[in-house]
Amino acid sequence: MGDLAVGARSGQDGPEEQRPAEPVPPAAEDTVPAESDSGAPGLVGSGSGSSGTGSGDSGDDTARDLDESGHKPRKQRSFWKELPLLIGIALVLALLIKTFLVQAFSIPSDSMQHTLEQGDRVLVDKLTPWFGSEPERGEVVVFHDPADWLAGEPTVEPNPVQRVLGWIGLMPSANEKDLIKRVIGVGGDTIECNGTGPLKVNGKALDEPYVYAGNTPCSVDDQGGQFKVTVPTGKIWVMGDHRQNSLDSRYHQEDKNAGFVPVDNVVGRAIVVAWPPTRWDTLPIPDTFDQNLSAAAPGALGLAGAVPLVLWRRRRAGGRPAAPVTVGNSGVPGSGTAG
């Protein structure tokens, strides 16, 4: 019995037989263990890692190609492709400004010295006439030639580039026959010049500091320098500031408009000298035109003359009742029927 082998069955007391540990096979390089429940990451094989890295780069590139709204942003056009569009917009705007707002004009003569010198560029307001504004006394206005005032005057033939730029409004037009003068009288005004002056509007003398130094307000000649005119409705009377060097309304009294300029011919009011920079200045209405120059209406004059007569008759009557007016009586004292 003493030679019995010592062994222990499962569940029995006694020492347990020790067996050698079986070797664990090495993990395959391409095997990726699943992540444990505890969240601990498993081993990552080299093949899988390479694939993951490539996928991540592709996602970054896609994100860079999309904007915030998830769409691919448009590529910006080159400057040279946008330049023709910008030039077209600028030309359209210039044409609209010239037509409806402001236009540049060049001064061709010395008739407005020293207010305007030959070669000055002025900007003319063309907007207010669209709203019914009409020229006022004292304004410097540009107007279309009313009756061949510029006949015989030398004209400069523009080149094709100047024609295009003038039509657009980027430079003064050389084709339009326009003049620039100062408005002295409007419809209903009576204007007169006697001797060397002063110039009178509706009987009131003008103080004219803008007249060219050495000139007199009125020109002593028999071609039109001495005059007395009444401006018709819808017309204006214009004169140059260089009085002895301006062929203005005074010297065109024999034309179809009798020297007056139709309001419809007025392009607009010159508001500023824009070029050259050393000549920059505004063109306000002189203070002398601030005085009450309006012509009294005939009806107002008749009413003013009738008031004293009525008061005198009331005093003469002494409160007595007026005589009744019979049929056929004109109402004129001392008369029967209208004769």
Side-chain angles (χ1 to χ4, degrees), residues 16-65:
E16 184 176 358
E17 183 179 2
Q18 299 293 328
R19 296 182 180 179
E22 296 180 359
V24 179
E29 292 182 356
D30 294 334
T31 302
V32 180
E35 186 175 345
S36 63
D37 294 339
S38 61
L43 296 177
V44 179
S46 59
S48 175
S50 299
S51 175
T53 302
S55 176
D57 290 343
S58 177
D60 293 342
D61 292 340
T62 303
R64 284 194 297 267
D65 291 341

Side-chain angles (χ1 to χ4, degrees), residues 179-196:
L179 300 97
I180 185 167
K181 305 290 180 187
R182 189 180 298 277
V183 179
I184 300 300
V186 296
D189 289 343
T190 297
I191 308 167
E192 58 183 313
C193 253
N194 296 309
T196 58

Side-chain angles (χ1 to χ4, degrees), residues 20-213:
E22 296 180 359
V24 179
E29 292 182 356
D30 294 334
T31 302
V32 180
E35 186 175 345
S36 63
D37 294 339
S38 61
L43 296 177
V44 179
S46 59
S48 175
S50 299
S51 175
T53 302
S55 176
D57 290 343
S58 177
D60 293 342
D61 292 340
T62 303
R64 284 194 297 267
D65 291 341
L66 301 179
D67 58 15
E68 294 180 356
S69 61
H71 301 286
K72 287 187 176 181
R74 295 182 179 178
K75 293 183 179 180
Q76 186 175 4
R77 294 182 181 178
S78 67
F79 171 76
W80 298 110
K81 290 183 178 179
E82 291 188 349
L83 182 59
L85 178 61
L86 295 176
I87 293 176
I89 294 174
L91 294 179
V92 171
L93 289 177
L95 182 60
L96 291 175
I97 290 173
K98 172 210 169 183
T99 304
F100 299 104
L101 300 179
V102 177
Q103 184 175 358
F105 286 86
S106 178
I107 306 304
S109 69
D110 297 328
S111 66
M112 284 295 293
Q113 283 182 316
H114 282 301
T115 303
L116 298 173
E117 299 286 351
Q118 186 173 353
D120 285 351
R121 302 289 197 273
V122 298
L123 297 182
V124 174
D125 169 25
K126 301 178 70 174
L127 177 63
T128 51
W130 287 92
F131 295 94
S133 175
E134 294 190 355
E136 297 182 5
R137 304 181 195 91
E139 292 182 347
V140 176
V141 296
V142 171
F143 55 94
H144 299 311
D145 190 343
D148 293 329
W149 287 17
L150 294 175
E153 293 291 331
T155 56
V156 179
E157 186 66 21
N159 59 46
V161 175
Q162 290 175 329
R163 288 178 182 273
V164 173
L165 295 179
W167 179 76
I168 295 171
L170 297 180
M171 69 176 297
S173 175
N175 292 329
E176 298 176 358
K177 293 184 176 182
D178 300 316
L179 300 97
I180 185 167
K181 305 290 180 187
R182 189 180 298 277
V183 179
I184 300 300
V186 296
D189 289 343
T190 297
I191 308 167
E192 58 183 313
C193 253
N194 296 309
T196 58
L199 178 65
K200 295 181 179 179
V201 178
N202 298 322
K204 298 181 180 179
L206 297 180
D207 178 19
E208 301 182 284
Y210 46 81
V211 170
Y212 184 80

Side-chain angles (χ1 to χ4, degrees), residues 278-325:
T278 55
R279 291 272 304 152
W280 191 93
D281 198 6
T282 57
L283 297 171
I285 297 177
D287 293 340
T288 189
F289 292 94
D290 290 339
Q291 59 180 316
N292 184 16
L293 298 175
S294 299
L301 291 175
L303 180 61
V307 169
L309 179 61
V310 171
L311 294 177
W312 176 77
R313 284 176 53 83
R314 288 177 64 86
R315 285 197 298 269
R316 286 287 304 272
R320 291 175 297 175
V325 178

